[in-house]
Amino acid sequence: MAILVLSHPLPSAPFVAALQALAPDLPVWTEADTPPPDAVEVLLAWRLTAGVVPRYPKLRVVCSTGAGVDKLLAVPDLPAGLPVTRVVDPQQARTIAQYVVAQTLHATRDFARYEAQQARAEWRRHPVRPAAQCRVGLLGQGEVAQAIARAIVPLGLPLALWGRHLRPLPGLEHADVTRYTGEAGLPALLASSDVLVNTLPLTEATRGLLDRARLAQLPAGAWLVNVGRGEHLVEDDLRGLLDSGHLAGAALDVFAREPLPRDHWLWGHPSVRATPHIAGEARFEVVAAACLDALQRCRAGQAPQWLVNRNAGY
């Protein structure tokens, strides 16, 4: 009985090495192998396609290679009772927070303007934007959003969070953070965000959330930073708001289609900073440990840690 790694488009070798380092006697297969169907107990995967899960009748659990599980839950033949787990890596949350802080400061300190001046050999100073004009709005309240909030607060930038319901924010109990919830709270969050940061999980309720109508509620000159999922954003709606000048720019690390096609307009737009899904990645050893722990718990008849709520989508 063993693990099948289906990590494409991510390379499988690092996951295999991490699993074998922790459990050297446990067989581990990849897409390149043809394991006996009855021997596969775990699928460690980033995405699934129809027909894969039914091949393995002894399957105990499906483990995500990262925090997101939308590409696993979307498969139509995923049995209702099959556990699906995700990865929670505090270091991944911190690296995503670093990315967001870097993009936020690039926007609010007008570094793009100075980069353009450098290209012209132009020495010209501009007033530093007041903190009151650098309001950061966070969509989400999970581990990543909390890490971002803890990184933003010491910078002295006004911070607000939005979620469907209020959740505790460890380490931020005494911080000056504005909270918005529910459909009624979303417009207020948008209207008060000079930098909007999306960290939401992808569900049917959040797919396409960042469309023209909602992005237009941001203040003129606002920036969007998306480290959630590409499918949250209606990319062509963003283009219209960038071209009209309503939005000053966007920093995007996730896209509706990945890899982003070479001829996609986002690569060359002067107001877009595009990166290839590198804001944060769960460490291979953390993924492997979580996968093996899920297998052990399932063998013992226990619920795995970081079990996904299939109804909620995360």
Side-chain angles (χ1 to χ4, degrees):
M1 306 297 277
I3 297 173
L4 175 59
V5 178
L6 302 175
S7 60
H8 182 79
L10 303 174
S12 60
F15 294 107
V16 172
L19 287 165
Q20 291 179 333
L22 294 174
D25 296 329
L26 187 69
V28 180
W29 293 295
T30 72
E31 290 99 338
D33 302 311
T34 306
D38 286 349
V40 176
E41 290 182 279
V42 182
L43 292 180
L44 176 59
W46 169 241
R47 62 179 58 165
L48 290 173
T49 57
V52 171
V53 172
R55 295 176 197 163
Y56 307 107
K58 301 297 179 64
L59 195 61
R60 295 179 183 271
V61 61
V62 174
C63 299
S64 174
T65 58
V69 294
D70 49 278
K71 291 177 173 59
L72 302 178
L73 299 184
V75 69
D77 50 9
L78 191 68
L82 183 65
V84 177
T85 68
R86 61 190 183 95
V87 176
V88 176
D89 183 352
Q91 181 169 302
Q92 180 184 25
R94 287 192 293 270
T95 58
I96 295 175
Q98 293 166 4
Y99 178 96
V100 170
V101 167
Q103 299 292 1
T104 297
L105 293 178
H106 186 276
T108 58
R109 290 301 307 269
D110 295 326
F111 286 129
R113 173 188 285 185
Y114 288 110
E115 290 164 0
Q117 287 183 191
Q118 179 182 353
R120 301 190 299 268
E122 177 183 342
W123 183 278
R124 184 181 179 189
R125 301 173 69 179
H126 304 277
V128 175
R129 191 184 306 190
Q133 298 176 19
C134 305
R135 300 164 295 175
V136 178
L138 268 172
L139 298 176
Q141 304 174 97
E143 292 84 1
V144 170
Q146 292 173 27
I148 293 169
R150 287 191 291 268
I152 291 289
V153 165
L155 300 178
L157 306 182
L159 177 65
L161 275 77
W162 176 86
R164 296 290 179 186
H165 309 283
L166 283 179
R167 286 182 54 180
L169 301 178
L172 295 165
E173 294 86 353
H174 305 295
D176 185 12
V177 178
T178 304
R179 305 291 300 275
Y180 296 99
T181 59
E183 290 298 326
L186 185 55
L189 182 283
L190 295 172
S192 61
S193 297
D194 299 302
V195 178
L196 179 68
V197 181
N198 176 46
T199 72
L200 292 168
L202 182 64
T203 67
E204 286 309 307
T206 63
R207 187 181 300 273
L209 181 74
L210 300 175
D211 60 8
R212 178 181 292 273
R214 292 190 178 90
L215 292 174
Q217 296 176 49
L218 293 168
W223 273 73
L224 169 68
V225 180
N226 190 11
V227 292
R229 283 289 181 265
E231 294 91 338
H232 288 132
L233 175 64
V234 182
E235 292 170 350
D236 286 341
D237 287 0
L238 171 67
R239 185 178 192 175
L241 292 168
L242 291 172
D243 290 346
S244 72
H246 180 74
L247 295 183
L252 309 177
D253 189 54
V254 290
F255 305 90
R257 181 179 173 188
E258 296 183 6
L260 188 65
R262 292 178 63 87
D263 60 350
H264 200 288
W265 67 267
L266 283 168
W267 283 121
H269 198 285
S271 299
V272 173
R273 295 166 61 84
T275 52
H277 208 142
I278 49 79
E281 184 175 70
R283 290 168 290 175
F284 298 115
E285 60 269 26
V286 174
V287 175
C291 180
L292 292 169
D293 181 71
L295 173 58
Q296 292 170 359
R297 289 172 184 257
C298 288
R299 282 176 172 175
Q302 302 171 357
Q305 192 178 28
W306 310 121
L307 182 66
V308 171
N309 182 328
R310 300 271 289 271
N311 292 326
Y314 53 89

